[in-house]
Structure formats: structure tokens, C-alpha cells
Amino acid sequence: MTRDAYGVPHLQAGDPLALVHLQGETTARDRAWQLELARHRFNGTTASFLGPEALPWDTFARQARLADTARQCFDALDDETRAWVTSYVDGVNSALPSAEAPEFAATGLTPGKWEPWTPLGIWLAVHILFAGFPSKLWRTHVAQRLGEEYLQLFTSEGPHTSGSNGWLIPGSATATGQAIIAGDPHRYIEHPGVYQQIRLACPSYDVLGLAVPGIPGIAHFGHAGKVAWAITNATADYQDLYAEQLRRTGSSIEALGPSGWAPASFHTEVIEVAGADPVTIEVIETDRGPIIVDHAGQTLSLRYPPRVLRRLGFEAMPRLLQATSTADIDDILEDWVEPVNVVFAADINGGLLHRVAGVVPERHQANGLRVVPAWESAFDWTGWKPMPKATVNGPEAMANARGIATPLGVEFAAPHRVNRIRELLHERSDWSIDDMRTIHTDTYLGSAHRIIDRLPELTDLSAEAVALRTELVDWDRRMDATSTTASTYAAVRKAVIARLTERFSILENPECPDIFAPYLDTLTHVSYALENLLESADLDVIPLIQGALEDVAAAKPRQPWGETHQLTPLHPLRTPLFTPTEEPIDLALSGDHHCVWSTSPMPGLADLCIRASAARFAWDLADRSASTWVVPLGASGIQGNAHHHDQLPLWLRGDLIPADATKQPPAANSASD
């Protein structure tokens, strides 16, 4: 193994099994705490060292049967894939007991032994909320409080818990004549980071890309030399919530289904809680799926494809590493299950691929909108939808918006990011890999017009508000860190959101388990649905905008956007990003959630950035060694390590670094473990 100047591991071994073993071993050394936290999360045992705050997640993980689903999916793998995953786990287990991380001492946690299915459990826990089934709880809540006619009032077509930008530029529009694939996945920014830069080389293949710590191979973003690929979340709808009727007879439980009463599986589990008494929970599963809500008169089961099919799609992961063409990628992704992704791929022979990969059930349209009754056959799953494909005729973008995946979903991201990327891509036909930064860092806010275009309608304004209105109308609508007008616009938007939230106070304080409370927060939904609400014929928004403008005009002084819009990485122990001996880094950020440079603030509450690019990359099919990438922090998950956050200043500026070790200074390439 060698490491480049940024500590990124470049691994080489004699065969795929030895290589994936080395990947597991290296990841355990670099990300020990992160791996152990992930293992405990899917097993529902984090409260044993994190305390009562972790109990809601542990309860959900147990009741949703994540660990059991992972084990069943592992058992269903073919022998070759099972051996490959097991070799990764063996590598983790060989290094984890001696790995170091300050969090172990802080929590008293001792690294445990991984089971062979642990990577599948981690993958499942990471993606179980990707399809957004809690939105069905929200819509059902809205219909109950406001009426059925309001069921889709809060359609956000806005930011979700995950997302990405991605674009594919065919060789006809590049300076080299070969394709470029670039983008950036948007997630909550955590430390350690959710992506691991890595290179995997053996006689069978040589691939560099972004791995998920705890998962073998390179699933989502990779460059294999002759072919490269990238994904975004398709925002497909493939998880359903069913209202269940249960009856207990002695020690057994039955659930009412379309064919009448049928036995449900039932057992209890005990969750250990640091600093508190253990908690005993019921784990119930009906023919639809496991019960994940049994609260305030609601008994709801969750039906999701991996539990139904006993498959996650892990069979595709080792095969992706061996791909040499877009035809290979297309064939391999037929086995993909979770999550559902939009995929771009390109190869050196001019092959281009744009498709959706995953599994989405066929069922009643109402399943996608709300909780549906388990006892009515109309809401059963009846098959699987075909995965769409599209021909690439020129530069194309994907950003979680409506497009190729429209038949598979209900609610998508607003079109501002994808429209802006397409607009930029069509400005020229000689793109180079070094030009990708100009797209990654574009700060134009396409959604600003929803408020700004209403400002001329306001009357009887104070002199201060008139001046502020003029400033906003003349603004270039770029959310630059140095701009005071950008921060002013954000303040007006926040004030409008607060007033709209008051308008819908009847929706506050829904009855639900603690884990779902953030997903049913009125302020959050108003923030996400702001554009839709401002265009609603049922709301008189002019007084709300006028009041917001007056409030902001009266508040002085104003700060640049970057003074309040700063990166705030998350850590379960609330550990600060920097140690006391380190020089602080200015964490000011440009961008906003509807900018291509997507840096999402806390919805309606504060300007602090909690979600942004978890990585940026640009794959060059003409010369892989010219490809670039960057992550928010660094290659190491160990605080105090030189590579824990050495990429942060570059990421904050929007810069990228060479992805291939051969592009680093020779001295850096000679470093080895």
C-alpha cells in the first residue's frame, strides 16, 4: 500500500480477494470509530455507549429488522460474492482490535468482531431513509389536521435528506474528444466523512473512486480506466407504510390482511442504555413487513424491497470493479436493488449510459402519497416497474429533479440545480477537466425569484424597506460568502418561513415516535415547500413578505453571508472539528440549497450549513491521471492525524486535488505502510 500527499490509500494486491481484504484492513485503521459506530447502528446497539439520545434510532433499527434483513441478504448471495464480502470483513477484523481513535476512550467502547453480513447491514442502515417513507407520515398528518384537499400542499420539489449533482459531457463537447463525468453527492457533513477516497489495483482491475467506509469495493463513483461511472439519488418511491390492525390472543399476535386474520411474528428485545435502565421493546412483523410505529393509536408496518426480496444488490459491487465498458455497467446494474439511483457512465470507445438502477414496486398510486390500509388488497404490491433508460445526445445533468426517473417517484428535487448545470454545460463545447470547478462552485440561486419577483407588489413600505427592496431586485442572485445582499435575502426568506409556519400552527406537535419527529416538523416542511406555498392560490402571501422585508430592513448591521453560513460537521459525541492546539480554519461557505454549489442551511432556523457536497469529483476518460476529487475533511477519521482535515481549506474554496497518486510529488508516492 502507498499513500499520496493527502494520505489517500492506493492499494495493490495479487488477486481480488487479497485486495478486498487489504481494503477492509486499511479502512479499519483509518476509520475505526466510524466503522464501529456503523456496526452498532444497524444492530440497534448505539444507546449502549451513546446513552438515551440514541434510543429512538436503536428502537427503529430493531423493529425494522435491519440486522436480520442484512443476514438474510448475505445468505442469499452467490458463493463468489459471499467470499468477497467475507474477505473484506476478515480484513476489518484483522486490524480493528489494535486500531486507535479517541472516541473509544471517550465512550469506553471496545471494538467488536464483525459478522460476515456486517457490510450489508451498514449499507441498509445508511440507505433505509433514502426513499423518504416518513414523508407519508407527514402527508397523512396534514390530511388529518387540514383535510384531504391539503394532502399535497406541502409538495416541496425541494431538498431532501440526500441528493447529488452529476453531469456527463460527451467527447463531442470536450477539448480532448473523450467524455468527462463529474459531480458531487450531497449529504449531511459528518466527521469522519461519509466517503473514502481510495484506489484498488490487482491483475484483474485498477479502479479509483469514492468508497463508503465499511462497504467493500467502490459502488457509486468510480473510474476503472476504460470506463467511469457516477450516480445521483433517483428520489424513487419504493417503501410503503401500511396501517395495521392487530389482535392478541394469549402469547400470539394476528394481523388483519386482505385475506383475513393471519399470524404475525413476535418477540421482545432488550436495548441496553448507557446511564439508564435497559428498555424492552416488541418486535412484530406482519405479512406486509415489520411494525415500526405503535404509538398514539397508530400501528404501521414498513414494506421495503430488501426485506421482501432478500437482496440488496451486492452481487453488482465486485463486478463493477471489473467493468471495461458502459455495456458492462448496464448489464451489471440489472442486479442493483438498494438504493434506486440515476446512473451516468462513459467509456473510452465512446460508449455513454444514462439509466436508472434499482427496484421499485408496482402498486396503487395512493401508496406513494400516504399510509394505506393493510387489509385492502388494492394496495398490495403486484410486480416491479421497469427501470428507465435514455439516449445521451449531448451534455446531460442529473440532480434529483424530474427527468428519467419521473415514472418511479412522487416528489423530486426542485429543477433549479439541474437547469443551471444544463445551462452552463451548453455554453461551450471545449470543456476540460480543469473547468469542472466552475460548475461545482456556481452560486446562482434559481429559486430567489419566488420572493424577489413579488417585491414590486408591496406598498406602503418604510424608507428602509424601499431601499432594501431596490437592493434585492438589483441583486445578481449569487449566494457568495462575501455578499451582504445574499445574507439579507436569506434573512427575508427565513422571516417569510417563520410567518408561514405560524399560519400552519395547527400542524405542530404531531403524535409520533421520537425518531420521526424531525420528519414531521412544520417549520422544516414549510422551508422545503416554500416555493409551492408562495404560489398557492389559497394563501395571501403578500402581507407575509411585506412583514418579513420590514423586519429585516429594521435589523442592523448586516453581515456577509459567509459570516453566518458556515460549515458545521456533525459528530455523535459533538466532538469539535479542531483540537485545542490547532489553528482554526475559516469555515465560511458560499452557495445555498438550490445552488449548484449546494450548501444547505438548517431549514428555517439558522444559516449554519449541515448538508453539502460530501465529495466532489471529475473523471477524465482521456487521461485518468488527470481526474480530480476532494472531500470536506480528509482521508483519516482519526482526530489529530495530519490527514484528518487537510483537504478542508481546498473544499471550502471549491478546489479539487489530483485523484491519481502518479500526479502527486514523487516523495509523497514513496510513503508506505
Side-chain angles (χ1 to χ4, degrees), residues 65-129:
R65 311 210 67 188
L66 300 187
D68 183 69
T69 303
R71 180 184 58 79
Q72 293 194 37
C73 290
F74 176 82
D75 289 344
L77 291 173
D78 61 84
D79 292 343
E80 186 176 353
T81 305
R82 195 182 308 114
W84 183 73
V85 174
T86 300
S87 187
Y88 180 88
V89 170
D90 289 344
V92 171
N93 282 330
S94 71
L96 198 56
S98 61
E100 299 180 355
E103 291 91 346
F104 291 141
T107 60
L109 181 66
T110 300
K113 183 177 180 179
W114 280 35
E115 302 288 353
W117 53 84
T118 296
L120 284 77
I122 292 174
W123 188 260
L124 189 58
V126 166
H127 296 108
I128 188 66
L129 295 173

Coordinates of all heavy atoms in Angstrom, one line a residue, residues 65-129:
R65 N -36.0 -4.5 11.7 CA -35.3 -5.7 11.5 C -34.1 -5.6 10.5 O -33.9 -6.4 9.6 CB -36.2 -6.8 11.0 CG -37.5 -6.9 11.9 CD -38.0 -8.3 12.0 NE -37.1 -9.2 12.6 CZ -37.3 -10.6 12.7 NH1 -38.3 -11.1 12.1 NH2 -36.4 -11.3 13.3
L66 N -33.3 -4.5 10.7 CA -32.2 -4.2 9.7 C -31.2 -5.4 9.8 O -30.7 -5.8 8.8 CB -31.6 -2.9 10.1 CG -32.4 -1.7 10.0 CD1 -31.6 -0.4 10.2 CD2 -33.2 -1.6 8.7
A67 N -30.8 -5.8 11.0 CA -29.8 -6.8 11.1 C -30.2 -8.1 10.5 O -29.5 -8.8 9.8 CB -29.4 -7.0 12.6
D68 N -31.5 -8.5 10.8 CA -32.0 -9.8 10.3 C -32.1 -9.7 8.7 O -31.8 -10.7 8.1 CB -33.4 -10.0 10.9 CG -34.0 -11.4 10.4 OD1 -33.4 -12.4 10.8 OD2 -34.9 -11.4 9.6
T69 N -32.5 -8.6 8.2 CA -32.5 -8.4 6.7 C -31.2 -8.5 6.1 O -31.0 -9.2 5.1 CB -33.2 -7.0 6.4 OG1 -34.5 -6.9 7.0 CG2 -33.3 -6.9 4.9
A70 N -30.2 -7.9 6.8 CA -28.8 -8.0 6.3 C -28.3 -9.4 6.3 O -27.7 -9.9 5.3 CB -27.9 -7.1 7.1
R71 N -28.6 -10.2 7.3 CA -28.2 -11.6 7.4 C -28.8 -12.4 6.3 O -28.2 -13.2 5.6 CB -28.5 -12.1 8.8 CG -28.1 -13.6 8.9 CD -28.5 -14.2 10.3 NE -29.9 -14.0 10.5 CZ -30.8 -14.9 9.9 NH1 -30.4 -15.9 9.2 NH2 -32.1 -14.7 10.2
Q72 N -30.1 -12.2 6.1 CA -30.8 -12.9 5.1 C -30.3 -12.6 3.7 O -30.2 -13.4 2.8 CB -32.3 -12.7 5.2 CG -32.9 -13.3 6.4 CD -34.5 -13.3 6.3 OE1 -35.0 -13.6 5.3 NE2 -35.1 -13.0 7.5
C73 N -30.0 -11.3 3.4 CA -29.5 -10.9 2.1 C -28.1 -11.5 1.9 O -27.7 -11.9 0.8 CB -29.4 -9.4 2.0 SG -31.0 -8.5 1.9
F74 N -27.3 -11.6 3.0 CA -26.0 -12.2 2.9 C -26.1 -13.7 2.5 O -25.4 -14.2 1.6 CB -25.2 -12.0 4.2 CG -23.8 -12.7 4.2 CD1 -22.7 -12.1 3.6 CD2 -23.7 -13.9 4.7 CE1 -21.5 -12.7 3.6 CE2 -22.5 -14.6 4.7 CZ -21.4 -14.0 4.2
D75 N -27.0 -14.4 3.2 CA -27.2 -15.8 3.0 C -27.6 -16.1 1.5 O -27.3 -17.2 1.0 CB -28.2 -16.4 3.9 CG -27.7 -16.4 5.4 OD1 -26.4 -16.3 5.6 OD2 -28.5 -16.6 6.3
A76 N -28.3 -15.1 0.9 CA -28.8 -15.3 -0.4 C -27.8 -15.0 -1.5 O -28.1 -15.2 -2.7 CB -30.1 -14.5 -0.6
L77 N -26.6 -14.4 -1.1 CA -25.6 -14.1 -2.1 C -25.1 -15.4 -2.8 O -25.1 -16.4 -2.2 CB -24.5 -13.3 -1.5 CG -24.7 -11.9 -0.9 CD1 -23.5 -11.4 -0.2 CD2 -25.1 -11.0 -2.1
D78 N -24.6 -15.2 -4.0 CA -23.9 -16.3 -4.7 C -22.5 -16.5 -3.9 O -22.0 -15.7 -3.2 CB -23.6 -16.0 -6.2 CG -22.8 -14.8 -6.4 OD1 -21.5 -14.9 -6.3 OD2 -23.4 -13.7 -6.6
D79 N -22.0 -17.7 -4.1 CA -20.8 -18.1 -3.4 C -19.6 -17.1 -3.6 O -18.9 -16.8 -2.7 CB -20.3 -19.5 -3.8 CG -21.3 -20.6 -3.3 OD1 -22.1 -20.3 -2.4 OD2 -21.2 -21.7 -3.9
E80 N -19.4 -16.6 -4.8 CA -18.3 -15.8 -5.2 C -18.4 -14.4 -4.4 O -17.5 -13.9 -3.9 CB -18.2 -15.5 -6.7 CG -17.0 -14.8 -7.1 CD -16.9 -14.7 -8.6 OE1 -17.7 -15.3 -9.3 OE2 -16.0 -13.9 -9.1
T81 N -19.6 -13.8 -4.5 CA -19.8 -12.5 -3.8 C -19.7 -12.7 -2.3 O -19.2 -11.8 -1.6 CB -21.2 -11.9 -4.2 OG1 -21.3 -11.9 -5.6 CG2 -21.4 -10.6 -3.6
R82 N -20.3 -13.8 -1.8 CA -20.2 -14.0 -0.3 C -18.7 -14.1 0.1 O -18.4 -13.6 1.2 CB -21.0 -15.3 0.0 CG -21.3 -15.4 1.5 CD -22.0 -16.7 1.9 NE -23.2 -16.9 1.1 CZ -23.3 -17.9 0.2 NH1 -22.4 -18.7 0.0 NH2 -24.5 -18.0 -0.5
A83 N -17.9 -14.8 -0.7 CA -16.5 -14.9 -0.3 C -15.8 -13.6 -0.4 O -14.9 -13.3 0.5 CB -15.8 -15.9 -1.3
W84 N -16.2 -12.7 -1.3 CA -15.6 -11.4 -1.5 C -15.9 -10.5 -0.3 O -15.1 -9.9 0.3 CB -16.1 -10.8 -2.8 CG -15.5 -9.5 -3.2 CD1 -14.3 -9.2 -3.6 CD2 -16.2 -8.2 -3.2 NE1 -14.1 -7.9 -3.9 CE2 -15.3 -7.3 -3.6 CE3 -17.5 -7.9 -2.8 CZ2 -15.7 -5.9 -3.8 CZ3 -17.9 -6.5 -2.9 CH2 -17.0 -5.6 -3.4
V85 N -17.2 -10.5 0.1 CA -17.6 -9.7 1.3 C -16.9 -10.2 2.5 O -16.5 -9.5 3.4 CB -19.2 -9.7 1.4 CG1 -19.6 -9.0 2.7 CG2 -19.8 -9.1 0.2
T86 N -16.9 -11.5 2.7 CA -16.3 -12.1 3.8 C -14.8 -11.8 4.0 O -14.3 -11.5 5.1 CB -16.4 -13.7 3.8 OG1 -17.8 -14.0 3.8 CG2 -15.8 -14.3 5.0
S87 N -14.1 -11.7 2.8 CA -12.7 -11.4 2.8 C -12.5 -9.9 3.3 O -11.6 -9.6 4.1 CB -12.1 -11.5 1.4 OG -10.7 -11.3 1.5
Y88 N -13.4 -9.0 2.9 CA -13.4 -7.6 3.4 C -13.5 -7.6 5.0 O -12.8 -7.0 5.7 CB -14.5 -6.8 2.8 CG -14.5 -5.4 3.2 CD1 -13.7 -4.4 2.6 CD2 -15.4 -5.0 4.2 CE1 -13.8 -3.1 3.0 CE2 -15.4 -3.6 4.6 CZ -14.7 -2.7 4.0 OH -14.7 -1.4 4.4
V89 N -14.5 -8.4 5.4 CA -14.8 -8.5 6.9 C -13.6 -9.0 7.6 O -13.2 -8.5 8.7 CB -16.1 -9.3 7.1 CG1 -16.2 -9.6 8.6 CG2 -17.3 -8.6 6.6
D90 N -13.0 -10.0 7.0 CA -11.8 -10.6 7.7 C -10.7 -9.6 7.8 O -9.9 -9.5 8.8 CB -11.3 -11.8 6.9 CG -12.2 -13.0 7.0 OD1 -13.0 -13.1 7.9 OD2 -12.0 -13.9 6.1
G91 N -10.6 -8.7 6.8 CA -9.6 -7.6 6.8 C -9.9 -6.7 7.9 O -9.0 -6.2 8.6
V92 N -11.2 -6.3 8.0 CA -11.6 -5.4 9.1 C -11.2 -6.0 10.5 O -10.6 -5.4 11.4 CB -13.1 -5.1 9.1 CG1 -13.5 -4.3 10.3 CG2 -13.4 -4.2 7.8
N93 N -11.6 -7.3 10.7 CA -11.4 -8.0 11.9 C -9.9 -8.1 12.3 O -9.5 -8.2 13.4 CB -12.1 -9.3 11.9 CG -13.5 -9.2 12.2 OD1 -14.0 -8.3 12.8 ND2 -14.3 -10.1 11.6
S94 N -9.0 -8.2 11.2 CA -7.6 -8.3 11.5 C -7.0 -7.1 12.0 O -6.0 -7.1 12.8 CB -6.9 -8.8 10.2 OG -6.8 -7.7 9.3
A95 N -7.6 -5.9 11.7 CA -6.9 -4.6 12.1 C -7.7 -3.9 13.2 O -7.1 -3.1 13.9 CB -6.8 -3.7 10.9
L96 N -9.0 -4.2 13.3 CA -9.8 -3.4 14.2 C -9.4 -3.4 15.7 O -9.4 -2.4 16.4 CB -11.3 -3.8 14.0 CG -12.4 -2.8 14.5 CD1 -12.2 -1.4 13.9 CD2 -13.7 -3.3 14.3
P97 N -9.1 -4.6 16.2 CA -8.7 -4.7 17.6 C -7.6 -3.8 18.1 O -7.6 -3.3 19.2 CB -8.4 -6.2 17.8 CG -9.1 -6.9 16.8 CD -9.1 -6.0 15.6
S98 N -6.6 -3.5 17.2 CA -5.5 -2.7 17.5 C -5.6 -1.3 17.0 O -4.7 -0.4 17.2 CB -4.2 -3.3 17.0 OG -4.3 -3.4 15.5
A99 N -6.7 -1.0 16.3 CA -6.9 0.4 15.7 C -7.2 1.4 16.9 O -7.7 1.1 17.9 CB -8.1 0.4 14.7
E100 N -6.9 2.6 16.6 CA -7.0 3.7 17.6 C -8.0 4.8 17.1 O -8.1 5.1 15.9 CB -5.6 4.3 17.9 CG -4.6 3.3 18.4 CD -3.3 4.0 18.7 OE1 -3.1 5.2 18.4 OE2 -2.4 3.3 19.2
A101 N -8.6 5.3 18.1 CA -9.5 6.5 17.9 C -9.8 7.1 19.2 O -10.2 6.3 20.2 CB -10.8 6.1 17.1
P102 N -9.8 8.4 19.4 CA -10.1 9.0 20.7 C -11.5 8.7 21.2 O -11.7 8.7 22.4 CB -9.8 10.5 20.5 CG -9.9 10.7 19.0 CD -9.4 9.4 18.4
E103 N -12.4 8.5 20.3 CA -13.8 8.2 20.7 C -13.9 7.0 21.5 O -14.9 6.9 22.3 CB -14.7 8.2 19.4 CG -14.9 9.5 18.7 CD -13.9 9.7 17.6 OE1 -12.8 9.0 17.6 OE2 -14.1 10.6 16.8
F104 N -13.1 6.0 21.3 CA -13.1 4.8 22.1 C -12.9 5.0 23.5 O -13.6 4.6 24.4 CB -12.1 3.7 21.5 CG -12.5 3.2 20.2 CD1 -11.5 2.9 19.3 CD2 -13.8 2.9 19.9 CE1 -11.8 2.4 18.0 CE2 -14.1 2.3 18.6 CZ -13.1 2.1 17.7
A105 N -11.9 5.9 23.8 CA -11.6 6.2 25.2 C -12.7 7.1 25.8 O -13.1 6.9 26.9 CB -10.3 7.0 25.3
A106 N -13.3 8.0 25.0 CA -14.4 8.9 25.4 C -15.6 8.1 25.8 O -16.4 8.5 26.7 CB -14.6 9.9 24.4
T107 N -15.9 7.0 25.1 CA -17.2 6.3 25.3 C -17.0 5.0 26.1 O -17.9 4.4 26.5 CB -17.8 6.0 24.0 OG1 -16.9 5.1 23.2 CG2 -18.2 7.2 23.2
G108 N -15.7 4.6 26.2 CA -15.5 3.3 26.9 C -15.8 2.1 25.9 O -15.9 1.0 26.4
L109 N -16.0 2.4 24.7 CA -16.3 1.4 23.7 C -15.1 0.6 23.3 O -14.0 1.2 23.0 CB -17.0 2.0 22.5 CG -17.4 1.1 21.4 CD1 -18.6 0.2 21.8 CD2 -17.9 1.9 20.1
T110 N -15.2 -0.7 23.2 CA -14.1 -1.6 22.7 C -14.6 -2.2 21.4 O -15.7 -2.7 21.3 CB -13.9 -2.8 23.7 OG1 -13.5 -2.2 25.0 CG2 -12.8 -3.7 23.2
P111 N -13.8 -2.1 20.4 CA -14.2 -2.6 19.0 C -14.5 -4.1 19.1 O -13.9 -4.9 19.8 CB -12.9 -2.4 18.2 CG -12.2 -1.3 18.8 CD -12.4 -1.4 20.3
G112 N -15.6 -4.4 18.5 CA -16.1 -5.8 18.5 C -15.8 -6.5 17.2 O -15.3 -5.9 16.2
K113 N -16.2 -7.8 17.1 CA -15.9 -8.6 16.0 C -17.1 -8.4 15.0 O -18.3 -8.4 15.3 CB -15.8 -10.1 16.3 CG -15.5 -11.0 15.1 CD -15.3 -12.4 15.6 CE -15.0 -13.3 14.4 NZ -14.8 -14.7 14.8
W114 N -16.7 -8.2 13.7 CA -17.7 -8.1 12.6 C -18.2 -9.5 12.2 O -17.4 -10.4 12.0 CB -17.1 -7.4 11.4 CG -17.0 -5.9 11.6 CD1 -16.8 -5.2 12.7 CD2 -17.2 -4.9 10.5 NE1 -16.8 -3.8 12.5 CE2 -17.0 -3.7 11.1 CE3 -17.4 -5.0 9.2 CZ2 -17.1 -2.5 10.4 CZ3 -17.5 -3.8 8.5 CH2 -17.4 -2.6 9.1
E115 N -19.5 -9.5 12.0 CA -20.1 -10.7 11.3 C -20.0 -10.6 9.8 O -19.8 -9.5 9.3 CB -21.6 -10.8 11.7 CG -21.9 -10.9 13.2 CD -21.5 -12.2 13.8 OE1 -21.1 -13.2 13.0 OE2 -21.5 -12.4 15.0
P116 N -20.0 -11.7 9.1 CA -19.8 -11.6 7.6 C -20.8 -10.7 6.9 O -20.5 -10.2 5.9 CB -20.0 -13.1 7.2 CG -19.7 -13.9 8.4 CD -20.1 -13.1 9.6
W117 N -22.0 -10.5 7.5 CA -23.1 -9.7 6.9 C -23.0 -8.3 7.3 O -23.9 -7.5 6.9 CB -24.5 -10.3 7.1 CG -24.7 -10.5 8.6 CD1 -25.2 -9.6 9.5 CD2 -24.6 -11.7 9.3 NE1 -25.3 -10.2 10.8 CE2 -24.9 -11.5 10.7 CE3 -24.1 -13.0 8.9 CZ2 -24.9 -12.5 11.6 CZ3 -24.1 -14.0 9.9 CH2 -24.5 -13.7 11.2
T118 N -22.0 -7.9 8.1 CA -22.0 -6.5 8.6 C -22.0 -5.5 7.5 O -22.7 -4.5 7.7 CB -20.8 -6.3 9.6 OG1 -20.9 -7.2 10.7 CG2 -20.6 -4.9 10.0
P119 N -21.2 -5.6 6.5 CA -21.3 -4.6 5.4 C -22.7 -4.4 4.8 O -23.1 -3.3 4.5 CB -20.3 -5.1 4.3 CG -19.3 -5.9 5.1 CD -20.1 -6.6 6.2
L120 N -23.4 -5.5 4.7 CA -24.8 -5.4 4.2 C -25.7 -4.6 5.2 O -26.5 -3.8 4.8 CB -25.4 -6.7 3.9 CG -24.8 -7.4 2.6 CD1 -23.4 -8.0 2.8 CD2 -25.8 -8.5 2.1
G121 N -25.5 -4.9 6.5 CA -26.2 -4.1 7.5 C -25.9 -2.6 7.5 O -26.8 -1.8 7.6
I122 N -24.6 -2.3 7.3 CA -24.2 -0.9 7.3 C -24.9 -0.2 6.1 O -25.4 0.9 6.2 CB -22.7 -0.8 7.2 CG1 -22.1 -1.2 8.6 CG2 -22.3 0.6 6.9 CD1 -20.6 -1.3 8.6
W123 N -24.8 -0.9 4.9 CA -25.4 -0.3 3.7 C -26.9 -0.1 3.9 O -27.4 0.9 3.5 CB -25.2 -1.3 2.5 CG -25.5 -0.8 1.2 CD1 -26.7 -1.1 0.5 CD2 -24.8 0.1 0.4 NE1 -26.6 -0.4 -0.7 CE2 -25.5 0.3 -0.8 CE3 -23.5 0.7 0.5 CZ2 -25.0 1.1 -1.9 CZ3 -23.1 1.5 -0.5 CH2 -23.8 1.7 -1.7
L124 N -27.6 -1.1 4.5 CA -29.0 -0.9 4.7 C -29.3 0.2 5.6 O -30.3 1.0 5.4 CB -29.5 -2.3 5.3 CG -31.0 -2.4 5.4 CD1 -31.7 -2.3 4.0 CD2 -31.4 -3.8 5.9
A125 N -28.6 0.4 6.7 CA -28.8 1.4 7.7 C -28.6 2.8 7.1 O -29.3 3.8 7.4 CB -27.9 1.2 8.9
V126 N -27.5 2.9 6.2 CA -27.2 4.2 5.6 C -28.4 4.6 4.6 O -28.7 5.8 4.5 CB -25.9 4.1 4.8 CG1 -25.8 5.2 3.8 CG2 -24.7 4.0 5.7
H127 N -29.0 3.6 4.0 CA -30.0 4.0 2.9 C -31.5 3.7 3.3 O -32.3 4.0 2.4 CB -29.6 3.2 1.7 CG -28.3 3.5 1.1 ND1 -27.2 2.7 1.2 CD2 -27.9 4.6 0.5 CE1 -26.2 3.3 0.6 NE2 -26.5 4.5 0.2
I128 N -31.8 3.3 4.5 CA -33.1 2.9 4.8 C -34.1 4.1 4.7 O -35.3 4.0 4.4 CB -33.2 2.3 6.2 CG1 -34.6 1.7 6.5 CG2 -32.8 3.2 7.3 CD1 -35.0 0.6 5.6
L129 N -33.6 5.3 4.9 CA -34.4 6.5 4.9 C -34.3 7.3 3.5 O -34.9 8.3 3.4 CB -34.0 7.5 6.0 CG -34.3 6.9 7.4 CD1 -33.7 7.9 8.5 CD2 -35.8 6.7 7.7

